[in-house]
Amino acid sequence: IEDSGKAKLNLTTPFASDDVDIEYFNLLDESIGTYKVHGNSGTKTTIGDYEFANDYDTQNYEFPEVTTVGAYAFGNSAKTIKLPKAVRIDKTAFNNCADVTEIHIPSFVMQKGNEFQTIDMVSLVKLVLNEASDVEALSNMLLNGGKIYNQNETKYFDKKSKTWVQA
């Protein structure tokens, strides 16, 4: 809280459709009111465990506001997955995606020890990740013929040299 009485609240976890009540107090620690921040019920910010695992009709998934993806989230019918704001992704999220050709997760930073378990799909052509990803983690990725690109797709990751190269 600033001297002017202004305050800023940064939420690290999206609250999606839930409302958040903020109670504020005076200098005597007396409650003087509550402010309600209304969630956005029309915006999907989380994909739960197995949420689309049994969806055999959808081939292209695009969720512009999703930040969190659970375990085994997608199924075999997925061809393209675009999650531009996803930053928390379970390492098994794409395990059932045998036929996926493109996965776009440009905000996601892969850490060593948290590599996706089975990104070894024969069909995967393009995996877009954040360039801040750990080079050892990227080197451990099992990609048959596909390439790993940085967030704006201007570079690809060369596994042999463990560096980003101009595309």
Side-chain angles (χ1 to χ4, degrees):
I1 298 180
E2 299 173 2
D3 290 338
S4 65
K6 293 182 181 179
K8 182 178 181 180
L9 176 65
N10 287 327
L11 300 173
T12 58
T13 305
F15 57 94
S17 62
D18 298 331
D19 292 339
V20 175
D21 291 319
I22 301 171
E23 190 171 7
Y24 49 99
F25 300 84
N26 64 17
L27 294 174
L28 300 174
D29 205 26
E30 299 168 329
S31 176
I32 53 173
T34 301
Y35 182 78
K36 183 178 286 281
V37 179
H38 296 283
N40 185 346
S41 61
T43 302
K44 184 168 192 59
T45 59
T46 300
I47 296 174
D49 295 349
Y50 300 93
E51 187 163 341
F52 298 108
N54 295 315
D55 180 357
Y56 301 105
D57 297 323
T58 307
Q59 292 186 344
N60 302 308
Y61 294 91
E62 186 166 359
F63 295 101
E65 299 300 322
V66 163
T67 59
T68 304
V69 182
Y72 304 95
F74 299 97
N76 283 331
S77 66
K79 297 290 185 199
T80 62
I81 300 170
K82 294 182 179 184
L83 308 165
K85 293 185 180 179
V87 292
R88 289 177 296 284
I89 302 174
D90 188 279
K91 64 183 178 180
T92 63
F94 307 113
N95 274 23
N96 294 330
C97 299
D99 296 327
V100 70
T101 57
E102 294 185 19
I103 299 174
H104 294 258
I105 45 177
S107 298
F108 182 72
V109 177
M110 184 169 291
Q111 301 296 322
K112 187 163 174 43
N114 199 32
E115 298 92 339
F116 298 127
Q117 287 185 347
T118 52
I119 297 284
D120 60 349
M121 305 92 163
V122 177
S123 302
L124 188 64
V125 174
K126 183 187 288 185
L127 175 61
V128 179
L129 295 167
N130 194 287
E131 192 174 338
S133 295
D134 183 88
V135 294
E136 292 299 325
L138 296 177
S139 297
N140 293 334
M141 294 289 295
L142 301 172
L143 290 173
N144 288 330
K147 284 188 176 182
I148 301 171
Y149 290 88
N150 69 339
Q151 61 271 19
N152 52 13
E153 300 182 48
T154 58
K155 299 176 186 176
Y156 68 90
F157 185 74
D158 179 59
K159 290 176 100 175
K160 290 180 184 175
S161 66
K162 296 183 181 181
T163 59
W164 291 97
V165 179
Q166 286 300 122

